[in-house]
Amino acid sequence: MKIRINDLLDEINDFSADTLENVEAFRIKFLGSKGLLKQLFTEFKDVEPSLKKEIGQSLNNLRNSATEKINSLKNSLENNIQVEHNYGDLTKPEEPIELGSMHPISIVKNQIIDIFSRIGFTVSEGPEIEDDWHNFTALNLPEYHPARDMQDTFFIEKDPDILLRTHTSSVQVRYMEKNKPPIRTISPGRVFRNEDISARAHCIFHQVEGLYIDTDVSFADLKQALLYFTKEMFGKSKIRLRPSYFPFTEPSAEVDIYWGLETETDYKITKGTGWLEIMGCGMVDPNVLKNANIDPDVYSGYAFGMGIERIAMLLYQIPDIRMFYENDIRFLKQFKSVI
Ligand code: DAH
């Protein structure tokens, strides 16, 4: 009898059920009026008196185990049913899924990448935390160069200087250090300047840098590439290059596009001239090539840099640069239709 009781105890411990019907069948088998325990208690009458105490305890234990098992299985199965009830009306139509939208900075960045990749430019990236060499010195901006003041810098460490890059031109240097000409690359990225925040300026913004190095690259190549870009990006085919100064290019220029004077807004954004400045550019200074171990007697190249926010503001008539970073859903939602 002891062996049978132990076997039944194992059976109870191993039992599991996934429906209430199975639990009920199990209850009837063990605890029902003609169940196993009933039989065992009947047989118990004939047990030798010296064993009665021990076997009686085992039998009680067996009954308790069966009862506990049944209760706990019932409990968990019933609770599951409760959870199912919380699903509510399963025949109700689904709530529509809100479609997200790309951020205007991403939209414009991708457009620029797309346009330049069609004429063979690849995309390259560099770190946002830079050293002095890549952000300034290698770009022909040695220590104490007055042009360093053009870009108010956030410094992280002094001597040696570690800083947040002030422009994506730093990626030019990194790219030239790792790749030999011919080079055709654009480098989009985030840049940082210690400037007062206003409707037109922010301390964090985005730029795209372009770099083209090969033998016999001339200013005419630069102009053609820019003309192609402005046609594709803005649908405008009149540009002008105004002489300017950047330490890393010689000669340097600023690029204006003829925006037109058709609407009142055109008058406002072009200050009545019809012209809009969109980027800086020039022929890479021989010193910059030398700093990246490229022989300026063999190679020449052009570079350009533009602000993504500025272009997005023009394209989408966004009046305040701060709107890009506030993540106001009413602003962002307006770019849903643009991919
Ligand atoms: N790095 C310049 C800036 O942040 C933009 C620029 C101008 C980049 C001329 C160039 C360039 O590559 O040739 O204002």
Side-chain angles (χ1 to χ4, degrees), residues 25-267:
F26 178 80
R27 189 193 67 78
I28 293 168
K29 178 175 169 191
F30 279 86
L31 303 178
S33 53
K34 289 181 189 147
L36 289 165
L37 272 140
K38 194 83 178 178
Q39 279 172 34
L40 286 167
F41 274 109
T42 318
E43 287 171 36
F44 180 68
K45 286 182 201 125
D46 305 327
V47 166
E48 258 182 64
S50 63
L51 293 173
K52 270 216 152 111
K53 188 173 173 206
E54 191 194 336
I55 292 191
Q57 272 172 359
S58 307
L59 273 178
N60 279 334
N61 184 27
L62 188 67
R63 188 179 49 203
N64 292 342
S65 301
T67 315
E68 266 170 35
K69 186 76 176 201
I70 289 161
N71 288 343
S72 82
L73 283 173
K74 257 193 181 164
N75 230 333
S76 61
L77 285 168
E78 276 165 3
N79 282 341
N80 277 346
I81 287 169
Q82 200 84 62
V83 173
E84 263 170 30
H85 279 309
N86 287 344
Y87 287 137
D89 179 359
L90 295 176
T91 62
K92 248 170 89 174
E94 187 53 85
E95 293 280 338
I97 297 169
E98 266 264 21
L99 206 58
S101 57
M102 290 253 267
H103 193 280
I105 301 282
S106 302
I107 296 170
V108 171
K109 182 184 85 175
N110 291 343
Q111 267 174 326
I112 297 171
I113 292 175
D114 189 50
I115 291 169
F116 280 104
S117 61
R118 273 185 258 146
I119 53 168
F121 282 73
T122 56
V123 176
S124 54
E125 283 183 351
E128 291 177 351
I129 297 174
E130 260 303 0
D131 49 35
D132 178 277
W133 172 255
H134 292 97
N135 196 78
F136 291 126
T137 307
L139 288 163
N140 211 22
L141 273 148
E143 214 183 340
Y144 305 119
H145 192 289
R148 283 196 179 205
D149 293 344
M150 280 158 65
Q151 303 181 351
D152 294 318
T153 311
F154 284 117
F155 289 95
I156 295 174
E157 271 171 40
K158 276 278 182 192
D159 283 334
D161 287 355
I162 303 292
L163 44 92
L164 295 177
R165 66 178 175 196
T166 56
H167 51 182
T168 43
S169 302
S170 55
V171 190
Q172 270 191 30
V173 183
R174 289 192 174 269
Y175 195 86
M176 285 192 281
E177 283 170 351
K178 290 225 175 68
N179 299 276
K180 292 280 139 263
I183 287 171
R184 256 178 264 170
T185 188
I186 50 166
S187 322
R190 194 156 55 155
V191 300
F192 308 83
R193 287 190 201 174
N194 192 0
E195 280 185 33
D196 289 341
I197 297 171
S198 70
R200 318 221 68 218
H202 211 284
C203 56
I204 302 176
F205 56 102
H206 299 76
Q207 287 186 333
V208 177
E209 185 78 14
L211 180 69
Y212 187 112
I213 314 273
D214 206 341
T215 48
D216 302 320
V217 179
S218 73
F219 207 91
D221 297 320
L222 168 61
K223 193 177 168 194
Q224 282 312 309
L226 296 177
L227 200 55
Y228 159 76
F229 170 72
T230 47
K231 270 187 196 163
E232 296 293 308
M233 191 79 208
F234 304 100
K236 312 266 182 198
S237 49
K238 202 158 123 188
I239 62 171
R240 71 179 181 195
L241 292 150
R242 257 184 307 108
S244 183
Y245 172 75
F246 297 103
F248 25 90
T249 42
E250 180 58 37
S252 305
E254 265 160 313
V255 184
D256 297 341
I257 54 172
Y258 189 70
W259 191 259
L261 283 172
E262 273 153 39
T263 66
E264 208 172 314
T265 318
D266 293 347
Y267 267 90

Side-chain angles (χ1 to χ4, degrees), residues 284-330:
V284 180
D285 193 290
N287 283 336
V288 176
L289 295 176
K290 258 189 248 161
N291 287 337
N293 289 322
I294 291 177
D295 186 351
D297 293 330
V298 180
Y299 295 105
S300 55
Y302 61 73
F304 53 86
M306 62 188 117
I308 301 183
E309 279 82 350
R310 177 159 170 78
I311 293 180
M313 285 168 87
L314 288 174
L315 280 178
Y316 299 121
Q317 315 252 310
I318 297 166
D320 190 320
I321 197 170
R322 290 168 289 202
M323 292 174 118
F324 289 115
Y325 320 111
E326 282 163 355
N327 284 331
D328 185 328
I329 207 88
R330 293 166 301 178

